[in-house]
């Protein structure tokens, strides 16, 4: 039906790695995959297998859940978009962490996959838009921190050199050329 790959972390895994909850829902317990380091897994590539035909009005939706939190929508694949690399922005762990006792299994992070009506899901471009927004915020934060290191203070105003933007941009470009992982760090 579907397969997943965690870029730089796994080989392709098929549906057998997931626990089937019912006909249309599957769960991957991240504790069995990476233990408590689930939040270090930042991307998932999900794809429909060639032998599986998903009706055109259905989607395979992907959700993530940190320990004790609610499931959060990440994205989906459809027959028109049979594969996707989705960013996993894990929600903050919830308050249920203290509810585990000696007789209960520890609450762990999970990835959920379900077959759902395509019309009922948020726009598939929303996840991409949020990713672009996050990158823009991180780049802006990088610029602010760079400028702040050259600032002088005049009353309630910050004074920066006139060529500060040019210097920052050149430094930013040079680092991006030297370090292929530098730009990836902005997707967190």
């Amino acid at each position: 039906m579907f397969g997943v790959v965690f870029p730089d972390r796994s080989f392709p895994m098929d549906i057998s790695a997931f626990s089937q909850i019912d006909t249309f829902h599957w769960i991957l317990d991240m504790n069995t995959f990476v233990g408590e380091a689930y939040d270090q897994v930042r991307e998932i590539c999900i794809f429909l297998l060639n032998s599986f035909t998903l009706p055109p009005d259905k989607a395979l939706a992907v959700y993530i859940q940190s320990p004790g939190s609610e499931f959060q929508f990440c994205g989906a694949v459809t027959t028109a978009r049979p594969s996707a690399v989705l960013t996993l922005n894990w929600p903050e762990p919830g308050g249920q962490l203290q509810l585990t006792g000696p007789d209960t299994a520890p609450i762990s992070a999970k990835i959920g996959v379900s077959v759902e009506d395509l019309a009922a899901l948020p726009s598939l471009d929303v996840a991409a838009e949020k990713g672009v927004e996050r990158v823009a915020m991180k780049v802006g934060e990088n610029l602010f921190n760079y400028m702040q290191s050259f600032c002088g203070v005049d009353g309630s105003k910050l004074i920066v050199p006139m060529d500060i933007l040019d210097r920052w941009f050149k430094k930013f470009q040079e680092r991006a050329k030297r370090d292929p992982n530098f730009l990836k760090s902005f997707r967190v």
Side-chain angles (χ1 to χ4, degrees), residues 12 20 23 55 75 80 88 111 123 154 157:
Q20 187 165 5
T23 308
L88 302 177
I111 294 180
S123 167
D154 180 22
K157 297 178 184 176

Side-chain angles (χ1 to χ4, degrees), residues 24-25 54-61 63 73 75-78 114-124:
F24 299 113
H25 296 90
L54 193 63
D57 62 334
K58 299 287 184 187
L60 204 57
Y63 296 86
F73 178 72
V77 291
T78 64
S114 64
V115 176
E116 298 184 20
D117 290 330
L118 182 57
L121 294 175
S123 167
L124 296 182

Side-chain angles (χ1 to χ4, degrees), residues 80-102:
R81 183 183 175 206
S83 65
V85 176
L86 305 173
T87 301
L88 302 177
N89 292 310
W90 295 94
E92 288 295 317
Q96 296 177 2
L97 292 175
Q98 299 86 343
L99 298 178
T100 59

Side-chain angles (χ1 to χ4, degrees), residues 5 20 24 27 31 36 50 58 61 63 86 93 101-102 105 117 131 136 152 161 163-164 182:
V5 172
Q20 187 165 5
F24 299 113
I27 297 283
N31 219 22
E36 293 181 11
N50 290 337
K58 299 287 184 187
Y63 296 86
L86 305 173
D117 290 330
D163 66 342
I164 193 73
F182 175 65

